[in-house]
Amino acid sequence: MAQKRKLRVLMSILRDKVSVIKATVSLRRSAASSVRLSVLRATAASASGPAPPPEDRLAAVLFLGRGSLLTARCCVAALVDRLQGAADAAVALRCLVALHGVLTQGTFLLRDQLSFFPGSGGRNYLNLSRFRDDSDPEAWELSSWARWYAEFLEQTLIASRRVGFYLCGGTPRPGSTGDRDEKVSASSASELLIELDVLSSVLERVVEAPKHSEQLRTNDLVHEVVRLVREDYGATRSEISPRLARLGERLDGMSSSELAELAGVLTRLDGCKDRLISLFGNRKNNDGLWDTVAELKTKAAAEEERRQGWRLVKKETKVDAAELARLIGRFTESGKLYAVPAAAGRSGAGFGGLDLVPVTVPTVG
């Protein structure tokens, strides 16, 4: 098995070497071929086993984003083409790490080009649902990591487009915290719920991470993937907390459907709690998010119970009013006898000082 793995790695290295040579000696050398050469060098298989892209090679790829729009477009296209054409699980993971690097460290041009790829209506270049490398047990396990990592990056891009900036640990937030709080305060409850929905989906992707086997506990490539995801997880949490806090202040003004939607989001977040703590311990759990989730669940349930009580009272009041109207109708028919006080000078007449006289009462319409 070990010999088979070594042969697989050697074949992958040879294929990459051939591709690099072709790009280098091409008679029709162009800017696009130079970009592909940089991408090949950053994502090529390593003889030392699965490892992250070398820092200098990754920096060379990111530097391409400082050029023209065409260069940036070629760079992202080369990365996703390399990803889609990868047969080696380690190479696929290297491509995903490089794409993640574009999001965390790349220029606006690079990130902007990448954000178009998981769009609706076209081919999803981060869809690795069918990716399998069955050359050996380790490659098979790395394949599951590649599929999960691609799904995580895709969901992060979707959430980034929704909230209006890139949710990446290495990307500075535009503006100050005060600007962020002002934006959240100015958003409607429905807008905040939509944003919470996509942000919660990011956390749900995180908790779907494959479990480490003993074989991968010392794998540097997997460790790098986990480190990058952990940074994005922290950035996502920092966007969830203020939105929950703001909705907590607006509970009495939210519609019943919005309350139900909030309850669903809180349930999803609560379902992620144990797995996230087991993955990252308390390193990213010191912002009080889980306390906020629990407190808001209690408040939302209490608000819904209060509204249910009012709905029940209104229903009973409506029934009582209808019954009263029915009874009044029975006794307001014309020609009925009613007891009225006796006229002056006629005390003692009738029964108990009252005269029984016919009184015509209009029927209540």
Side-chain angles (χ1 to χ4, degrees):
M1 184 65 69
Q3 189 170 0
K4 181 180 178 181
R5 178 175 176 275
K6 288 180 180 180
L7 180 60
R8 176 183 63 85
V9 172
L10 179 60
M11 292 298 296
S12 182
I13 292 173
L14 288 175
R15 283 196 300 267
D16 289 341
K17 290 289 186 183
V18 170
S19 298
V20 168
I21 292 172
K22 285 182 178 180
T24 303
V25 302
S26 174
L27 295 178
R28 298 177 62 184
R29 188 74 178 273
S30 63
S33 63
S34 297
V35 169
R36 287 195 297 271
L37 181 59
S38 296
V39 169
L40 280 170
R41 286 171 171 167
T43 60
S46 172
S48 59
E55 291 186 8
D56 58 334
R57 299 296 191 188
L58 182 56
V61 171
L62 298 178
F63 185 77
L64 296 170
R66 300 181 181 276
S68 65
L69 174 62
L70 178 61
T71 303
R73 185 177 300 168
C74 289
C75 178
V76 173
L79 280 170
V80 294
D81 287 345
R82 172 75 162 152
L83 172 65
Q84 288 292 315
D88 187 292
V91 170
L93 278 173
R94 278 174 164 240
C95 291
L96 291 169
V97 169
L99 289 170
H100 204 160
V102 168
L103 291 175
T104 58
Q105 306 171 48
T107 63
F108 172 79
L109 283 178
L110 279 177
R111 288 179 292 171
D112 189 52
Q113 290 302 308
L114 183 57
S115 68
F116 290 130
F117 282 95
S120 58
R123 181 186 178 191
N124 181 356
Y125 290 92
L126 287 173
N127 181 8
L128 297 186
S129 59
R130 297 184 178 181
F131 179 79
R132 301 289 189 280
D133 180 359
D134 57 358
S135 54
D136 61 52
E138 182 183 22
W140 181 263
E141 192 171 358
L142 286 176
S143 297
S144 65
W145 279 89
R147 293 192 299 271
W148 165 76
Y149 193 22
E151 288 181 2
F152 169 79
L153 288 178
E154 180 184 358
Q155 186 58 49
T156 300
L157 280 170
I158 292 172
S160 297
R161 288 201 301 269
R162 179 66 252 182
V163 300
F165 55 88
Y166 293 99
L167 288 168
C168 300
T171 304
R173 277 297 316 271
S176 63
T177 302
D179 293 333
R180 189 267 308 278
D181 293 340
E182 183 177 349
K183 175 184 179 297
V184 171
S185 298
S187 300
S188 66
S190 60
E191 290 172 336
L192 293 176
L193 286 168
I194 291 173
E195 291 177 355
L196 279 173
D197 175 61
V198 294
L199 290 170
S200 300
S201 294
V202 174
L203 267 59
E204 288 174 330
R205 297 290 83 73
V206 174
V207 301
E208 293 172 354
K211 296 185 185 294
H212 287 77
S213 68
E214 291 297 329
Q215 192 174 13
L216 293 184
R217 288 191 183 278
T218 58
N219 189 297
D220 292 339
L221 182 53
V222 170
H223 286 177
E224 178 65 8
V225 169
V226 172
R227 184 189 69 80
L228 292 170
V229 171
R230 182 172 63 242
E231 293 301 317
D232 287 4
Y233 162 60
T236 304
R237 282 177 63 105
S238 68
E239 296 302 325
I240 291 176
S241 293
R243 286 165 173 78
L244 290 180
R246 186 58 178 165
L247 286 175
E249 300 169 357
R250 299 182 180 181
L251 286 180
D252 56 349
M254 294 171 63
S255 66
S256 296
S257 60
E258 288 172 340
L259 270 181
E261 190 174 348
L262 175 60
V265 169
L266 293 171
T267 299
R268 290 166 59 194
L269 289 173
D270 197 39
C272 297
K273 175 182 175 181
D274 292 340
R275 175 64 171 151
L276 289 172
I277 291 177
S278 68
L279 283 172
F280 305 123
N282 292 320
R283 284 171 292 184
K284 295 292 180 182
N285 298 309
N286 55 1
D287 57 356
L289 174 62
W290 306 125
D291 293 336
T292 301
V293 169
E295 181 181 350
L296 194 51
K297 282 183 72 174
T298 301
K299 286 183 177 181
E303 176 65 19
E304 180 59 27
E305 186 176 349
R306 183 184 71 81
R307 295 187 186 188
Q308 288 285 2
W310 273 112
R311 283 193 285 267
L312 183 60
V313 169
K314 288 173 67 176
K315 182 178 179 181
E316 291 178 347
T317 301
K318 184 177 180 180
V319 171
D320 291 344
E323 180 65 15
L324 180 60
R326 187 182 67 81
L327 291 175
I328 291 175
R330 293 177 57 188
F331 291 99
T332 55
E333 298 175 0
S334 61
K336 295 292 183 180
L337 293 178
Y338 291 87
V340 299
R346 296 178 54 188
S347 60
F351 176 77
L354 298 175
D355 284 338
L356 296 177
V357 295
V359 178
T360 301
V361 181
T363 303
V364 176

